[in-house]
Amino acid sequence: MSRANPTEGDSRPDIADSQAENQWIQLARKHWSKAVKTRKVKSDVIKKEIWDVLENEGFQLPSLLVLENLQLLEKSDNPSVYPRRSPLTSLSYLWPGFTDACTNHHVLLIAIIATVKNRENLPVWEIFSDDAARFSLVFRRVLSMSLDGHLSLVVRTNILSFLIAAFQSLDNGLIRKECAPLVSISIWHNLSSEAARERKFGQHTQLKKVWRAAVKRFDSADETTQQKLHVDRAWLYSLLLDFIGRLQQSGSETLIYCERLLEFLTDLESQLPTRRYVTTLIEDLNILALVRLSPLFNAEENGLFRDLFVLLRQFVNFPVDDITGIQYTQVQCYEEHCARLARLQRISLKKFKEKLTILALSNYAAIDKRAELQTHLGPLTDEELAELAGLLGFRTNYPPSANVIVGRDLLLEILLSSHERHRTFRESIRGLSILPTEDALYDPTLLRNQHYDGSKSLALPKLNLQYLSVGDFLWRSFVLHRCESFFEIRQYVEDIIKRLQPQHAQLPNSVRFDGFSRMAIPISKPAILEAAPPKVGQDKPAFVRAEVGLDVSRLAESVRQDWESLRQDDVVYLLTVEPTEKSQDLTNGHAVHTSSRDVGLRALRAAEVEQVLDDNGRIIREIHDGENNGYTLRPRLRRLILKLDTAAWQLDSKQKAKGKPDIYESLNVIIRRKGRENNFKKTLETIKHLALSDIPVPDWFQEVFLGFGDPSSATYTKLSNSLNQLDFRDTFLDWQHLVETLPDQFIEPTTSQEPSLKPPYVLEGIASTCLEPPKPSKKRRRDDSEVSQPARKSVKVSTYQPPNNGPYPTDAPKVNHVRFTKTQVEAIMSGTQPGLTVIVGPPGTGKTDVATQIINNIYHGFPSQRTLLIARSNQALNQLFQKITRLDIDARHLLRLGHGEEDLDTDVSYSKHGRVESFLDNRGRYLDEVNRLAANVEAPGAHSNSCETAGYFNAVYIVPAWSKFWDTANAADSSITDIITHFPFHQYFYNAPQPLFPPEASREQVLDVARGCQRHIERVFTELEDIRPFEILRTSRDKANYLLIKEARIIAMTSTHAAIRRQEIASLGFHYDNVIMEEAAQITEIENFIPLALQNPIEGQLPLQRIVLCGDHLQNSPIIQNLAFEKFANLEQSLFLRFVRLGVPTINLDHQGRARPSIAQLYKWRYPKLENLPNVLTETEYLRANAGFRHEYQFIDVPDYKGAGESQPTPHYFQNLGEAEYAVALYQYMRLLGYPASKISILTTYAGQRALIRDVLGHRCAKNRLFGLPRIVATVDKYQGEQNDYVILSLVRTTRVGYLRDIRRLTVALSRARLGLYILGRRSVFEACNEVREAFVHLFERSNQLMVTTGEMFPTSRSMEKEVEATEMAGVEHLGQYVFEMTKAMVESLKAGGKQLPAIEETPEMMRVDEEDEGEETVEDEVQTGGDEEMAEDLDGVT
């Protein structure tokens, strides 16, 4: 997806900022830009020249970003490593210069810049890892200043942001050491009474032991340590008291500070380790009641503050045991609620019988509502309310610093909020709509998330390292994905309305549309056909059916076909659009719309397509009499039968009954979206259903998934069901391979002749080969000189003779030929075992090969188990699936679900219907074999009529024949001749390679051939038995479903398909045992989770045995459009990344075999242990130079072209005409030298540039037989997982680095090429960026201009090491002229020689990607720009 937030483009400093003579640049040059051995930080510089300036401007984000970019905080690397970088990149100031004597302003600047880096997703805590003691000093001083009332609230708000970032990074040991004591049980010293603490001890007996240990630790500590422990126990309490006091104040700074503190408390409550003791303190201080009564809460304009309160209340009241982490069931929640009410009734009856008798005798349902309970408590006086609250254990007094007046309102609120029944997270999900309306799209809560720069809190749940329960995770995911979906829809609808250009028509209350969009059609009001009565227990109609007429007479054929191709259940949008006073023309910027009417949207209703009919009411795809191949005259009308949103219909009907206008009378536009953009409804329904159904996860996986306990507890070395013996089949190619890949184990063969021991190998004792050595005790004896090394584990190795499967060549098994490395074998061993396996695969390290071998081992080693394969994209899934089809796996056990199967490069179809057809085709072939067998045994009758009759034939004729033969063959006195003579199927095997029994064969060899023949025949009847249900089942749907739930053993689908079809698949009774997930680091966490829950529980448990996650968290993460959801809510987090952060053991593949070693060096800094496989060191193509180029890789500095660099035809749709022209000219140059078009890919970092390059290619190359089109033109994100020999990469940006500052994307960009990489960009931009410096070190060592050689054609015989003279291309004009002259010379040469121009090389992949990507999510654009196809048309004039 693309990001749709202009913040990055507006706030991030650009190259002009880094070169301008502004105050920060001058200050950097004066004080820290010059590299010196020692530098003393001057406090007056910190205070007067940095702090005062920032404080006066309110710590504006642009200034902070510039200072962060100038490396004000961290220590720089050795300048000699990067000799050609900008002089402003050799920085070192705040952190290296910090000492205990530094001023508070110095410490505050460290905290503020660290927060900025964290918000920008840049490494921050690693900066402090070199000195934990000094960082502890910084952190302690920040804590102290967070309570300093003399500091401004703006400063204290920044301190809170720093602390929020810290508590969100508890996976870092440095941070965890500082944060954990602040939320430990010691904070219970601040509870209102000893009795309150004792009540908590009574709920969990182990708490008292923990408390005593904390008290003992304090008592036994020295004075300094006691002071530190006292700060730990009092800090949060003091912070909350200060917060309580500020609730009565007003002002924007107070509001922002209090919002940030609510966010901080919500973060503490949202993770079990931090909420364990904090919840009790929050409840003891009555924080929720105090907030609800505060002026800040009740001010109408403070909607965000109220939303933050609701979110905090949701987590405080979350139904989970804070100590054990066990989620309460609905019954337990209700019982606890009733227990609170019962206690209230008992005390009321005992102490206030006269006034509260009715309350004491009422049933629970009558007193758990706020209004009813308030009525019951009304007769009590203020003193009696205080007494009641005290008897119930509530705090009724506060320190004077809190400035709290405990009056009637507060006492009532405390009692009411504690005894009313709160909505559970399930009830809150149930009340949220899935289909949007105009009110939902423009809800203020959602609008606040549109422009995020980190300066304010947001009322959004965050995806953390840990979750309170599976239900908590699903609730957060549902809320965030719903917000993200509605945000995308709103952006899309606004763009469509702009394109339609609504204007007032001559008729009253009518609208005309002066613009056009292929995704929208003006309509008249829909006709309501039927509103079905509500179902039992519901109050809304069961369904509402409507008809909409579409005038398609003036639409282009391709547009009309798009509308006709709408499928059942596709979501469309019915709009009431009216003109606005403001111009609706496209502008180079985004307006902030606070209401749907600001954009001319009066109403929006979603509907689902039921049928598409022609003007005669017939289904559009049927061919009718009188038509020629389905075509008639140009159609004029199409009718859509729609199912309207019943919830919205019910509300609209109530409004209509009150005299409001009928919305459905005014609907005048229908909008559709591309299929992959419009899957939100089914995905949200899946998440909602899982959240409401309380889906479990396997017991062995639950703690790791939630982030609790031992991170390695789900790996096979820690599981009781790990297997001690496994058959690894063809994993090892030979004995030497086995020894090489298990160097840490003692290999113990079962025979004395090791080299003669050939695969397949069975390994015994492997369950303990990867056990971690015990950690040495902290208390070592004084005479222990060193820690003893763990003993080598012994692995017993045996082999066996694979069974003979038959005499035909097709009976021979397919074997693996990949010589796996040590880490790859480790990954295969772990993946074959039960448990969780996390495989980190850098570019080119063979993740897919490892995954396929794991699948192969599971398939053969566990015949009764079924495996689910998941990938993010069809492309990656097809790559994996194609490799599986080449293994020794029966095709009848393979199934590929979802769209994209048609792109598989295989001879047969693996879709559901393709597999069914294959079964039926095989039926005829195998029944023919039955006829041949019947002729062989001379059995009369029609034995091949059906699979059933074939089974009878096998039982009556074939099985007895084999029994008779084996009686003879196994007789002690039978000779080889007797065995061959009595073999009953000579005639049947006449077409096998002859002789069937070799003349020189031994007795055992003859018997082995006979066994193979028997297996071949048995397989015929086994497969016929499997095919038999397809004879019985009548409908295609039943056959396809049977295939899925019974026959297929390896089922592949994308994560999107799993999310869309989860309900349908699970309802069929589908079950599986293993999940293998490719591209796991690119899939959002909920999309990681849904494939794990694609089946219904069995006896309350999901029967999963293996989970294998393959990915690379150092490459691209899931792309989220809105920065608020991405950065604030962390929606881009994948399960893979979270496991890595939690410390789950990973297997890191460490040998690449894709790229030249020199090209791999460009991204090796991200993978320090990455080495090269022998093939890239020895094979000719890697040793040979690139014809026509001096270098195999080069960064080419592209200056402004025709006076312009980057441009934006529409907001954040970035293009660079100079780089586009250069890329195409470079491609033409390579084609003229003979490089195959299929070996060249052109990549770019923005979808706008992709469209521009395609446009230039269309003009210059598409119809020219000398050039043709390259294999693909794509964005970097779309190309992850792909590779090509030669890559031309356009970086586009000329003012700032943009999203390439995220080095994960840069890693992908640099690792796609095998033999040649040529990068087009602006050197000054990337040279000035510290984060990408390491990637460009080697690139900038070479010339900035393209260096070409003459006299070479592809392929050249020149070696890489040979030095040759080269010509420097001065710019795009020079290269263009050079290509023009080469083209002219080649054409003249061909004419002179009487030769014809070559045919245009077909590049079907590029066309496929065009069709697949057009109009879909633009994965690297910084803003969603709907209608890419229309944009591409508008670009024709640009070039």
Side-chain angles (χ1 to χ4, degrees):
M1 297 181 186
S2 62
R3 291 178 173 85
N5 194 310
T7 300
E8 187 274 342
D10 295 339
S11 300
R12 170 57 57 186
D14 59 22
I15 189 62
D17 294 328
S18 299
Q19 295 174 344
E21 295 299 322
N22 65 39
Q23 57 183 340
W24 302 122
I25 301 298
Q26 294 177 17
L27 193 66
R29 287 174 176 165
K30 182 177 179 181
H31 294 290
W32 68 80
S33 64
K34 297 178 181 179
V36 295
K37 293 183 178 179
T38 59
R39 176 180 290 112
K40 184 178 180 180
V41 178
K42 299 178 181 179
S43 59
D44 59 332
V45 173
I46 294 290
K47 174 65 170 66
K48 296 178 181 179
E49 300 191 47
I50 301 179
W51 179 263
D52 288 348
V53 177
L54 288 174
E55 189 173 33
N56 290 335
E57 67 178 25
F59 300 95
Q60 291 295 314
L61 182 61
S63 292
L64 294 175
L65 289 171
V66 170
L67 287 172
E68 183 277 318
N69 201 43
L70 292 173
Q71 287 185 269
L72 175 66
L73 173 63
E74 67 266 43
K75 183 189 298 182
S76 69
D77 296 327
N78 188 338
S80 63
V81 176
Y82 198 62
R84 301 187 64 178
R85 61 171 177 251
S86 165
L88 293 183
T89 59
S90 176
L91 312 178
S92 174
Y93 207 59
L94 291 179
W95 171 241
F98 171 77
T99 64
D100 193 22
C102 286
T103 64
N104 285 344
H105 299 110
H106 190 134
V107 175
L108 288 170
L109 282 174
I110 290 177
I112 290 172
I113 299 300
T115 305
V116 172
K117 293 183 75 70
N118 183 77
R119 190 162 56 218
E120 293 295 307
N121 273 343
L122 301 173
V124 55
W125 308 120
E126 293 81 355
I127 296 170
F128 308 108
S129 61
D130 61 342
D131 196 334
R134 278 200 308 142
F135 177 74
S136 183
L137 288 175
V138 170
F139 196 86
R140 289 282 150 180
R141 290 181 62 175
V142 170
L143 290 179
S144 175
M145 285 185 283
S146 69
L147 303 175
D148 188 350
H150 296 93
L151 293 176
S152 70
L153 284 180
V154 175
V155 174
R156 294 182 66 183
T157 301
N158 279 286
I159 292 175
L160 272 181
S161 298
F162 172 80
L163 294 173
I164 288 171
F167 274 91
Q168 286 287 306
S169 306
L170 294 178
D171 55 310
N172 186 289
L174 185 73
I175 301 301
R176 188 167 58 250
K177 180 181 178 182
E178 301 299 330
C179 292
L182 303 176
V183 291
S184 69
I185 198 172
S186 297
I187 65 176
W188 283 6
H189 280 281
N190 306 293
L191 296 185
S192 58
S193 66
E194 189 74 24
R197 197 159 48 239
E198 290 298 328
R199 282 197 299 271
K200 286 296 179 181
F201 292 160
Q203 295 174 4
H204 293 281
T205 55
Q206 71 268 31
L207 286 177
K208 198 154 192 174
K209 184 182 295 185
V210 178
W211 173 260
R212 288 172 179 166
V215 173
K216 182 179 179 181
R217 184 166 59 252
F218 181 87
D219 293 340
S220 61
D222 56 37
E223 184 177 353
T224 302
T225 306
Q226 282 188 347
Q227 291 177 355
K228 179 179 180 298
L229 293 175
H230 182 75
V231 171
D232 291 342
R233 72 168 61 161
W235 176 78
L236 183 59
Y237 176 70
S238 302
L239 186 70
L240 291 176
L241 289 181
D242 178 78
F243 169 65
I244 291 171
R246 296 191 182 279
L247 287 174
Q248 306 305 316
Q249 301 175 7
S250 60
S252 60
E253 292 183 0
T254 301
L255 176 63
I256 294 174
Y257 174 80
C258 290
E259 288 171 346
R260 191 66 80 179
L261 201 137
L262 285 180
E263 178 195 341
F264 177 61
L265 293 179
T266 302
D267 285 353
L268 294 182
E269 286 293 300
S270 64
Q271 298 189 90
L272 191 63
T274 52
R275 78 173 271 137
R276 181 166 283 130
Y277 308 112
V278 170
T279 303
T280 302
L281 183 61
I282 289 176
E283 292 174 343
D284 180 79
L285 287 170
N286 303 313
I287 295 293
L288 296 180
L290 289 165
V291 171
R292 183 160 185 160
L293 291 177
S294 68
L296 291 178
F297 181 88
N298 291 287
E300 183 179 355
E301 65 273 14
N302 296 344
L304 174 59
F305 187 80
R306 286 189 291 274
D307 290 342
L308 286 166
F309 165 79
V310 171
L311 187 60
L312 174 61
R313 183 179 61 186
Q314 181 80 37
F315 278 110
V316 170
N317 296 322
F318 196 87
V320 66
D321 189 309
D322 292 337
I323 307 303
T324 63
I326 298 175
Q327 180 179 324
Y328 297 137
T329 64
Q330 291 183 343
V331 173
Q332 289 173 322
C333 290
Y334 185 68
E335 289 175 350
E336 183 182 356
H337 171 66
C338 292
R340 288 197 301 270
L341 292 176
R343 185 163 178 260
L344 172 65
Q345 288 180 319
R346 288 195 301 270
I347 294 176
S348 299
L349 188 62
K350 183 178 180 179
K351 298 292 184 179
F352 309 98
K353 184 175 181 180
E354 294 182 0
K355 295 184 177 181
L356 299 183
T357 300
I358 297 177
L359 183 150
L361 299 179
S362 298
N363 61 62
Y364 296 144
I367 59 173
D368 67 354
K369 305 289 191 302
R370 174 174 283 264
E372 287 83 350
L373 188 56
Q374 186 170 3
T375 301
H376 286 298
L377 295 175
L380 296 180
T381 65
D382 294 358
E383 292 75 13
E384 288 171 334
L385 279 174
E387 182 183 358
L388 176 60
L391 291 171
L392 289 169
F394 295 110
R395 180 190 286 266
T396 57
N397 57 79
Y398 290 84
S401 61
N403 194 28
V404 174
I405 300 175
V406 182
R408 183 179 186 85
D409 290 342
L410 178 57
L411 292 170
L412 269 176
E413 181 59 36
I414 291 172
L415 293 172
L416 294 176
S417 61
S418 300
H419 293 92
E420 67 177 333
R421 187 173 184 185
H422 300 286
R423 293 180 67 192
T424 65
F425 72 92
R426 291 191 182 88
E427 291 171 335
S428 66
I429 289 179
R430 193 176 285 113
L432 291 174
S433 64
I434 289 178
L435 291 173
T437 64
E438 75 282 358
D439 292 333
L441 294 183
Y442 288 87
D443 186 284
T445 303
L446 187 60
L447 290 177
R448 281 195 292 270
N449 306 325
Q450 181 161 351
H451 299 290
Y452 173 75
D453 62 3
S455 61
K456 288 189 176 182
S457 298
L458 296 175
L460 291 173
K462 300 177 182 178
L463 299 185
N464 293 337
L465 282 172
Q466 299 174 326
Y467 300 106
L468 303 180
S469 68
V470 176
D472 172 40
F473 162 71
L474 292 169
W475 169 70
R476 299 190 208 188
S477 298
F478 178 80
V479 171
L480 292 175
H481 280 271
R482 178 178 178 270
C483 289
E484 170 78 354
S485 298
F486 282 15
F487 172 82
E488 294 174 12
I489 293 171
R490 188 179 75 240
Q491 295 287 101
Y492 186 82
V493 169
E494 288 180 0
D495 181 72
I496 293 296
I497 293 176
K498 288 179 182 179
R499 293 181 183 279
L500 289 176
Q501 301 176 25
Q503 304 292 336
H504 290 289
Q506 294 181 351
L507 296 176
N509 299 324
S510 62
V511 180
R512 77 172 192 272
F513 297 96
D514 292 346
F516 171 77
S517 171
R518 65 187 300 158
M519 310 303 288
I521 296 179
I523 60 172
S524 57
K525 66 178 183 180
I528 306 301
L529 303 179
E530 180 182 7
K535 295 181 180 179
V536 176
Q538 295 185 353
D539 58 354
K540 61 183 181 181
F543 62 85
V544 178
R545 187 177 286 116
E547 179 181 311
V548 174
L550 306 181
D551 181 2
V552 297
S553 60
R554 293 186 295 175
L555 296 181
E557 184 175 345
S558 61
V559 178
R560 175 178 57 80
Q561 289 176 351
D562 287 341
W563 282 95
E564 292 175 349
S565 64
L566 286 171
R567 294 173 296 178
Q568 187 175 5
D569 297 330
D570 280 352
V571 178
V572 294
Y573 308 89
L574 303 173
L575 279 61
T576 299
V577 177
E578 56 187 15
T580 61
E581 298 300 326
K582 301 176 184 178
S583 172
Q584 292 298 308
D585 295 336
L586 290 172
T587 58
N588 195 13
H590 278 305
V592 179
H593 304 301
T594 59
S595 167
S596 60
R597 292 183 179 270
D598 289 348
V599 295
L601 178 62
R602 179 181 161 195
L604 181 146
R605 294 295 178 266
E608 294 179 87
V609 175
E610 194 171 84
Q611 285 182 324
V612 182
L613 308 176
D614 63 14
D615 49 0
N616 294 318
R618 297 175 295 189
I619 296 177
I620 199 68
R621 293 179 183 175
E622 294 180 0
I623 299 177
H624 308 292
D625 295 337
E627 294 181 349
N628 182 18
N629 293 327
Y631 292 95
T632 59
L633 297 176
R634 185 179 183 87
R636 300 185 58 83
L637 181 67
R638 292 291 181 255
R639 298 177 181 175
L640 294 184
I641 306 300
L642 305 176
K643 293 182 292 184
L644 301 180
D645 180 0
T646 55
W649 166 268
Q650 182 191 27
L651 293 175
D652 294 336
S653 299
K654 291 180 179 179
Q655 293 297 317
K656 181 181 177 182
K658 295 178 181 179
K660 298 291 181 67
D662 185 355
I663 286 179
Y664 299 91
E665 293 287 332
S666 64
L667 296 172
N668 57 5
V669 172
I670 185 171
I671 292 178
R672 64 181 177 88
R673 296 175 73 198
K674 293 285 187 177
R676 288 194 59 173
E677 297 174 354
N678 213 26
N679 293 327
F680 75 98
K681 179 179 181 290
K682 289 184 178 293
T683 301
L684 290 177
E685 284 178 341
T686 294
I687 303 173
K688 187 174 185 177
H689 182 271
L690 290 173
L692 296 177
S693 64
D694 198 18
I695 194 78
V697 295
D699 287 339
W700 59 268
F701 183 60
Q702 177 156 339
E703 284 198 354
V704 172
F705 176 77
L706 295 178
F708 305 152
D710 181 5
S712 64
S713 61
T715 56
Y716 79 93
T717 58
K718 298 292 184 70
L719 297 180
S720 59
N721 64 336
S722 61
L723 305 171
N724 195 47
Q725 177 178 303
L726 274 175
D727 181 359
F728 284 92
R729 295 181 58 81
D730 55 356
T731 302
F732 305 100
L733 303 187
D734 50 48
W735 178 261
Q736 184 61 31
H737 185 204
L738 174 67
V739 173
E740 289 172 354
T741 52
L742 296 176
D744 300 327
Q745 280 76 48
F746 179 74
I747 309 299
E748 185 180 346
T750 55
T751 65
S752 58
Q753 298 179 344
E754 296 178 359
S756 64
L757 205 61
K758 297 181 179 180
Y761 297 125
V762 178
L763 273 58
E764 185 178 351
I766 57 174
S768 61
T769 58
C770 294
L771 284 175
E772 299 176 357
K775 296 182 178 179
S777 173
K778 294 182 179 179
K779 299 181 179 179
R780 292 177 52 193
R781 295 177 54 184
R782 293 182 180 178
D783 56 348
D784 286 346
S785 59
E786 61 181 15
V787 180
S788 59
Q789 296 296 322
R792 294 178 69 191
K793 303 296 180 181
S794 176
V795 177
K796 294 183 178 179
V797 180
S798 60
T799 188
Y800 61 91
Q801 179 64 36
N804 187 330
N805 290 323
Y808 297 96
T810 55
D811 292 327
K814 303 172 185 176
V815 295
N816 163 59
H817 296 289
V818 177
R819 196 173 188 86
F820 294 111
T821 65
K822 174 181 177 294
T823 53
Q824 286 177 324
V825 167
E826 182 184 350
I828 293 168
M829 292 177 67
S830 178
T832 308
Q833 288 273 12
L836 172 66
T837 299
V838 180
I839 303 172
V840 179
T845 53
K847 294 188 297 292
T848 306
D849 289 330
V850 169
T852 54
Q853 190 61 32
I854 292 173
I855 294 164
N856 191 36
N857 289 349
I858 294 174
Y859 175 83
H860 291 284
F862 307 92
S864 62
Q865 294 186 10
R866 313 178 78 206
T867 301
L868 183 65
L869 307 184
I870 298 292
R872 181 187 67 90
S873 63
N874 283 309
Q875 198 172 24
L877 187 64
N878 286 344
Q879 286 181 350
L880 176 61
F881 200 84
Q882 283 167 192
K883 289 195 173 186
I884 293 171
T885 61
R886 303 186 191 112
L887 299 176
D888 188 30
I889 294 177
D890 199 325
R892 64 197 172 103
H893 293 144
L894 296 174
L895 181 61
R896 168 71 162 88
L897 298 181
H899 296 287
E901 186 279 335
E902 59 274 9
D903 296 325
L904 275 173
D905 187 17
T906 54
D907 296 331
V908 296
S909 172
Y910 288 93
S911 65
K912 282 197 293 186
H913 296 292
R915 287 290 83 207
V916 170
E917 291 176 3
S918 176
F919 269 88
L920 297 178
D921 290 343
N922 290 339
R923 172 183 178 272
R925 181 164 57 86
Y926 286 127
L927 290 177
D928 288 341
E929 296 297 302
V930 171
N931 276 333
R932 292 180 55 229
L933 284 169
N936 183 96
V937 298
E938 298 179 350
H943 304 293
S944 61
N945 278 354
S946 67
C947 296
E948 183 179 9
T949 58
Y952 295 145
F953 167 72
N954 180 45
V956 174
Y957 290 97
I958 303 303
V959 173
W962 280 117
S963 297
K964 182 178 179 181
F965 166 74
W966 286 116
D967 288 342
T968 301
N970 293 329
D973 57 346
S974 62
S975 64
I976 294 177
T977 304
D978 293 336
I979 295 173
I980 295 175
T981 303
H982 286 87
F983 182 73
F985 297 103
H986 283 287
Q987 180 182 343
Y988 176 77
F989 288 106
Y990 80 94
N991 57 353
Q994 300 295 327
L996 187 62
F997 298 97
E1000 305 300 327
S1002 64
R1003 175 188 175 88
E1004 186 56 38
Q1005 290 174 331
V1006 169
L1007 291 176
D1008 186 59
V1009 171
R1011 294 189 193 98
C1013 292
Q1014 183 177 9
R1015 291 189 185 95
H1016 178 88
I1017 293 176
E1018 286 175 345
R1019 190 161 58 250
V1020 171
F1021 292 101
T1022 300
E1023 297 219 13
L1024 284 172
E1025 185 63 27
D1026 289 340
I1027 295 170
R1028 184 178 175 186
F1030 297 96
E1031 287 185 336
I1032 300 171
L1033 297 171
R1034 293 303 176 192
T1035 67
S1036 298
R1037 184 181 185 86
D1038 289 341
K1039 293 176 182 178
N1041 290 339
Y1042 178 85
L1043 176 71
L1044 172 63
I1045 63 176
K1046 292 294 185 181
E1047 190 64 32
R1049 287 178 51 197
I1050 298 175
I1051 303 97
M1053 66 184 77
T1054 63
S1055 56
T1056 302
H1057 185 85
I1060 293 172
R1061 300 294 181 186
R1062 192 268 166 191
Q1063 297 299 100
E1064 176 185 336
I1065 293 173
S1067 64
L1068 294 173
F1070 175 63
H1071 286 288
Y1072 53 97
D1073 306 274
N1074 315 297
V1075 174
I1076 296 178
M1077 204 171 298
E1078 181 72 289
E1079 295 182 321
Q1082 287 184 267
I1083 304 174
T1084 60
E1085 195 160 6
I1086 188 61
E1087 291 179 311
N1088 284 130
F1089 177 81
I1090 290 174
L1092 307 182
L1094 212 58
Q1095 56 187 329
N1096 292 324
I1098 299 176
E1099 297 180 354
Q1101 289 292 321
L1102 293 179
L1104 280 179
Q1105 297 193 34
R1106 294 174 184 82
I1107 299 173
V1108 180
L1109 303 180
C1110 303
D1112 182 6
H1113 58 289
L1114 299 181
Q1115 296 188 61
N1116 283 342
S1117 62
I1119 306 301
I1120 305 302
Q1121 287 202 23
N1122 186 287
L1123 287 179
F1125 306 134
E1126 176 196 353
K1127 293 183 180 294
F1128 182 87
N1130 203 22
L1131 189 55
E1132 70 164 354
Q1133 175 174 273
S1134 66
L1135 184 65
F1136 188 96
L1137 175 61
R1138 186 162 69 89
F1139 280 169
V1140 172
R1141 291 184 61 195
L1142 284 169
V1144 172
T1146 61
I1147 300 171
N1148 300 283
L1149 306 184
D1150 55 7
H1151 282 75
Q1152 72 89 22
R1154 170 188 294 173
R1156 297 184 195 267
S1158 56
I1159 294 179
Q1161 195 70 26
L1162 298 177
Y1163 52 88
K1164 187 179 185 297
W1165 62 280
R1166 292 284 281 160
Y1167 311 95
K1169 296 183 178 179
L1170 185 64
E1171 302 295 337
N1172 298 302
L1173 287 171
N1175 68 300
V1176 300
L1177 301 174
T1178 59
E1179 292 182 4
T1180 303
E1181 64 175 347
Y1182 293 101
L1183 301 177
R1184 196 165 48 199
N1186 293 342
F1189 297 94
R1190 169 181 278 185
H1191 305 297
E1192 73 281 15
Y1193 67 83
Q1194 197 173 355
F1195 183 94
I1196 303 164
D1197 192 14
V1198 181
D1200 287 352
Y1201 180 66
K1202 296 183 178 180
E1206 69 178 52
S1207 62
Q1208 296 183 65
T1210 60
H1212 309 284
Y1213 193 75
F1214 287 101
Q1215 297 182 331
N1216 186 320
L1217 182 57
E1219 289 186 18
E1221 292 282 6
Y1222 206 119
V1224 173
L1226 186 55
Y1227 166 72
Q1228 291 175 310
Y1229 172 69
M1230 296 178 72
R1231 291 290 290 129
L1232 291 172
L1233 293 180
Y1235 286 87
S1238 60
K1239 299 291 186 181
I1240 305 171
S1241 294
I1242 302 179
L1243 305 183
T1244 180
T1245 49
Y1246 291 93
Q1249 184 74 349
R1250 178 188 63 181
L1252 182 57
I1253 292 174
R1254 287 177 174 175
D1255 188 60
V1256 177
L1257 282 169
H1259 282 77
R1260 307 278 169 93
C1261 302
K1263 298 180 180 180
N1264 190 318
R1265 287 187 285 173
L1266 283 176
F1267 304 121
L1269 294 175
R1271 175 184 174 184
I1272 192 171
V1273 179
T1275 57
V1276 170
D1277 282 4
K1278 276 289 184 182
Y1279 210 58
Q1280 179 164 342
E1282 291 291 297
Q1283 63 184 28
N1284 208 351
D1285 288 357
Y1286 307 96
V1287 169
I1288 302 170
L1289 173 63
S1290 171
L1291 301 182
V1292 184
R1293 304 302 298 273
T1294 58
T1295 59
R1296 55 177 59 90
V1297 175
Y1299 284 119
L1300 271 186
R1301 200 178 189 213
D1302 183 345
I1303 54 179
R1304 295 173 297 184
R1305 177 170 286 109
L1306 185 60
T1307 302
V1308 176
L1310 297 177
S1311 59
R1312 300 305 97 197
R1314 295 178 63 245
L1315 305 176
L1317 175 63
Y1318 302 96
I1319 303 174
L1320 312 176
R1322 186 66 57 88
R1323 173 168 178 162
S1324 57
V1325 171
F1326 297 93
E1327 193 175 41
C1329 181
N1330 181 52
E1331 284 71 32
V1332 302
R1333 178 195 308 164
E1334 292 289 343
F1336 287 89
V1337 167
H1338 300 288
L1339 288 167
F1340 289 163
E1341 289 173 349
R1342 295 179 174 177
S1343 171
N1344 291 339
Q1345 305 299 329
L1346 179 66
M1347 305 297 292
V1348 301
T1349 60
T1350 58
E1352 289 183 325
M1353 294 294 290
F1354 177 88
T1356 182
S1357 58
R1358 173 168 57 94
S1359 67
M1360 287 277 296
E1361 290 76 16
K1362 185 177 179 180
E1363 292 290 337
V1364 293
E1365 293 186 2
T1367 302
E1368 186 177 90
M1369 295 290 107
V1372 62
E1373 295 89 349
H1374 187 184
L1375 179 61
Q1377 183 63 31
Y1378 192 76
V1379 169
F1380 173 77
E1381 292 173 359
M1382 287 182 63
T1383 306
K1384 184 178 178 180
M1386 179 168 287
V1387 171
E1388 291 176 354
S1389 174
L1390 290 172
K1391 289 180 178 179
K1395 300 179 181 178
Q1396 294 183 349
L1397 291 173
I1400 296 178
E1401 185 175 343
E1402 294 292 334
T1403 52
E1405 183 172 352
M1406 179 176 179
M1407 299 309 298
R1408 174 183 62 80
V1409 174
D1410 278 349
E1411 295 169 1
E1412 178 183 293
D1413 292 352
E1414 192 70 37
E1416 292 184 9
E1417 57 265 298
T1418 53
V1419 292
E1420 292 186 43
D1421 254 348
E1422 298 179 27
V1423 154
Q1424 173 74 19
T1425 53
D1428 276 355
E1429 39 300 277
E1430 297 171 48
M1431 180 62 62
E1433 294 168 4
D1434 295 339
L1435 293 175
D1436 285 348
V1438 175
T1439 56

